[in-house]
Amino acid sequence: MMQTAQPDLDQLKQRMRATWMAGDFGKIAQYSVKRAEEFAARLAISPGKQVLDVACGTGNLTIPVARAGGRVSGVDIAPNLLEQARARAAAEKLDITFK
């Protein structure tokens, strides 16, 4: 009977984190800001609605949802992207929790 090797979850996370931290993804993310804003508008978030953005990156979706009054939390595996998201939210004085 052949066994398949299970990837070590910690190693997988480390490789994923390293990939997203390589270079400046924030520059690339700028190209999707408008589309994320359009998507957020279609969600019709009501004020106070709780929203979790998984893999939030630089905040392209969390920011327009917070502007609409959503109570937003964003999580991401890459600390550098979270730093950019926090800076963007702070510049607009938006209350978003990033982890």
Side-chain angles (χ1 to χ4, degrees):
M1 178 157 79
M2 186 174 167
Q3 278 193 337
T4 58
Q6 289 291 330
D8 180 341
L9 190 55
D10 288 333
Q11 285 180 338
L12 179 61
K13 287 180 187 178
Q14 288 173 359
R15 286 194 305 262
M16 290 175 63
R17 186 177 296 112
T19 298
W20 286 106
M21 292 184 69
D24 188 357
F25 180 75
K27 295 283 186 197
I28 297 168
Q30 291 174 357
Y31 291 101
S32 63
V33 169
K34 181 82 170 142
R35 295 284 185 216
E37 290 172 347
E38 292 168 355
F39 178 74
R42 287 193 305 272
L43 295 175
I45 300 296
S46 57
K49 182 81 170 177
Q50 289 186 314
V51 178
L52 173 63
D53 184 1
V54 177
C56 67
T58 60
N60 281 358
L61 187 58
T62 55
I63 289 172
V65 169
R67 283 184 200 134
R71 293 182 20 222
V72 188
S73 296
V75 296
D76 201 283
I77 197 167
N80 61 326
L81 301 181
L82 290 171
E83 288 174 23
Q84 292 179 47
R86 284 185 189 104
R88 290 180 62 203
E92 294 192 39
K93 296 180 176 52
L94 295 171
D95 184 21
I96 302 172
T97 301
F98 292 103
K99 294 186 182 185

